[in-house]
Amino acid sequence: MPVAQYMALCLTHPVHGYYTTRDPLGAAGDFTTSPEISQMFGELIGLWAAEVWKQMGSPEHLQLIELGPGRGTMMGDALRAVIRVPEFRRTIAVHFVEVSPPFEKRQRDAFARTDVPVEWHKALEDVPEGPCIILANEFFDALPVHQAVMCVDGWHERVVKIDENNQLRFGHASDPIPLFDDMLPERVQQAQIGEIFEWRADGIALELGRRVVRSPGAALVFDYGHVETATGDTLQAVAGHRFASALAAPGQVDLTAHVDFQALAQAAEGMDARAHGPIEQGLFLRRLGIETRAAMLKKAAPAERAAEIEAALGRLISQARTGMGRLFKVIGFAHEKFGILPGFEP
Ligand code: SAH
């Protein structure tokens, strides 16, 4: 089967899928994410959304949509932060797009007593139209990715197969993909034999672009990945905060692949959305005032807690080569008429 189908089954198979059977987040789980590292992340995004809502002309009803909300931590922190902007908070209806039953359950528990209306959907298409702000953190990396391998006669789709010893192995389809090169940037067309190219075909970026133009609204997407479309095998398996084999234990480990921000932007722009960025997460969070927020929290906290806040700030904005501040990028999309989104000023 194509790598994308393998990834889809591993992650979201109704009985054996990784996301369908567990909550992988946190110290005891397989990986952690920015909102789980610090409340500051969600708080700043809440205030960002309030600012964008004003740029949108303060619509009376706003759909605050989150794709893949995990434990719902980011939305919880965002809604708490905007208590200070009551004229905005009053307009919000939250829409969670979630495929995982355990995560949905967790979100329902977390939002059981909230004063804001909350609804759940399986896909972005199912969310009612209307002025919207769409948020996503570490969502796109979890979407199935297709891979192709450059062979002597062109690109062949990469597949997962069962070998003579009954083991899973990577291979490639026997026929090349017709006219594939025509769709690729020149850089990628010059790939050497054996190089791998990845793409996503889920259509979510198209729907996101369509929505911010038609509904209208804006979107903010955080993830790790590359700013320019390029070759490379980024399919990665993680278990217990360590790299694992993508084939050894299907459905038991997290599978992700880097986000191609150029492809994401092209899809949304194809629907007439305007792209802002991508820029590094560290720069974006600093522009939103994360250092001031950290200083405020530290002032009010005992010494031990202050050290934790400082460490969390460091992790979120770290400029080290593998730091989240640099590895993670953020891209915004909006209807052109709303101007430049906060944090993306040139
Ligand atoms: N945004 C959260 C969780 C990231 S994990 C955080 O930053 O902590 C990825 C999330 O996307 C999970 O909630 C997972 O269940 C969800 N997800 C994965 N594939 C999905 C899909 N195809 N549609 C909707 N949600 C999906």
Side-chain angles (χ1 to χ4, degrees):
M1 65 177 78
V3 167
Q5 189 183 352
Y6 175 76
M7 191 170 167
L9 287 170
C10 286
L11 293 180
T12 55
H13 182 281
V15 179
H16 304 293
Y18 179 75
Y19 282 119
T20 11
T21 51
R22 75 202 69 207
D23 167 1
L25 285 167
D30 287 325
F31 62 94
T32 193
T33 58
S34 297
E36 299 299 331
I37 288 172
S38 169
Q39 69 185 75
M40 296 186 285
F41 188 80
E43 288 171 348
L44 291 173
I45 289 173
L47 297 172
W48 179 91
E51 207 50 46
V52 171
W53 171 78
K54 284 179 202 157
Q55 279 180 227
M56 287 167 63
S58 311
E60 213 174 310
H61 299 286
L62 183 87
Q63 327 258 48
L64 191 54
I65 305 169
E66 186 177 354
L67 309 176
R71 293 179 170 175
T73 307
M74 182 174 101
M75 187 62 79
D77 292 334
L79 291 179
R80 194 185 56 251
V82 299
I83 286 175
R84 289 190 296 172
V85 199
E87 66 281 16
F88 166 58
R89 203 169 184 279
R90 265 198 299 276
T91 69
I92 297 174
V94 169
H95 292 270
F96 284 138
V97 176
E98 179 57 82
V99 282
S100 150
F103 268 138
E104 183 181 325
K105 162 109 189 21
R106 244 194 118 122
Q107 294 150 21
R108 283 189 187 273
D109 292 346
F111 287 81
R113 276 178 300 279
T114 185
D115 55 336
V116 171
V118 187
E119 277 182 42
W120 279 263
H121 311 272
K122 295 280 175 247
L124 180 56
E125 283 83 352
D126 303 337
V127 179
E129 299 282 340
C132 66
I133 294 178
I134 306 172
L135 306 170
N137 183 60
E138 289 211 44
F139 169 75
F140 282 91
D141 67 73
L143 298 178
V145 74
H146 288 266
Q147 291 189 327
V149 191
M150 183 53 130
C151 302
V152 272
D153 57 347
W155 293 101
H156 291 236
E157 177 131 29
R158 200 173 186 219
V159 299
V160 174
K161 57 181 191 177
I162 297 172
D163 69 10
E164 51 287 353
N165 301 319
N166 230 9
Q167 299 294 311
L168 294 180
R169 286 268 177 279
F170 285 112
H172 54 75
S174 46
D175 293 323
I177 310 169
L179 304 173
F180 193 62
D181 250 347
D182 299 357
M183 297 182 291
L184 302 176
E186 218 163 291
R187 238 185 352 273
V188 177
Q189 289 183 21
Q190 285 153 9
Q192 308 289 309
I193 289 179
E195 276 193 78
I196 287 176
F197 177 71
E198 297 176 339
W199 75 99
R200 288 189 167 86
D202 47 74
I204 298 182
L206 288 170
E207 172 62 10
L208 186 144
R210 191 195 65 78
R211 245 167 219 267
V212 301
V213 173
R214 303 290 157 76
S215 274
L220 192 64
V221 173
F222 292 85
D223 225 309
Y224 48 95
H226 36 275
V227 168
E228 273 195 340
T229 300
T231 55
D233 174 13
T234 74
L235 182 67
Q236 129 188 332
V238 168
H241 297 265
R242 288 197 178 168
F243 290 116
S245 154
L247 300 183
Q252 307 287 306
V253 301
D254 186 37
L255 286 184
T256 63
H258 284 198
V259 172
D260 176 347
F261 281 90
Q262 187 178 353
L264 188 67
Q266 275 168 353
E269 284 168 342
M271 304 307 282
D272 295 327
R274 175 166 174 194
H276 303 263
I279 61 173
E280 290 177 359
Q281 167 167 310
L283 175 62
F284 183 78
L285 293 178
R286 286 204 315 278
R287 283 181 173 175
L288 259 46
I290 194 166
E291 285 150 324
T292 313
R293 180 68 186 133
M296 271 170 64
L297 286 172
K298 272 161 60 181
K299 223 155 109 192
E304 202 184 283
R305 176 81 191 106
E308 277 170 29
I309 295 164
E310 189 58 33
L313 171 69
R315 281 184 78 182
L316 291 179
I317 68 172
S318 167
Q319 289 298 300
R321 202 173 54 82
T322 54
M324 289 181 95
R326 186 148 162 198
L327 204 60
F328 277 69
K329 315 283 186 303
V330 51
I331 191 166
F333 298 104
H335 192 296
E336 200 167 30
K337 68 183 176 189
F338 300 145
I340 294 182
L341 297 174
F344 294 103
E345 300 82 5

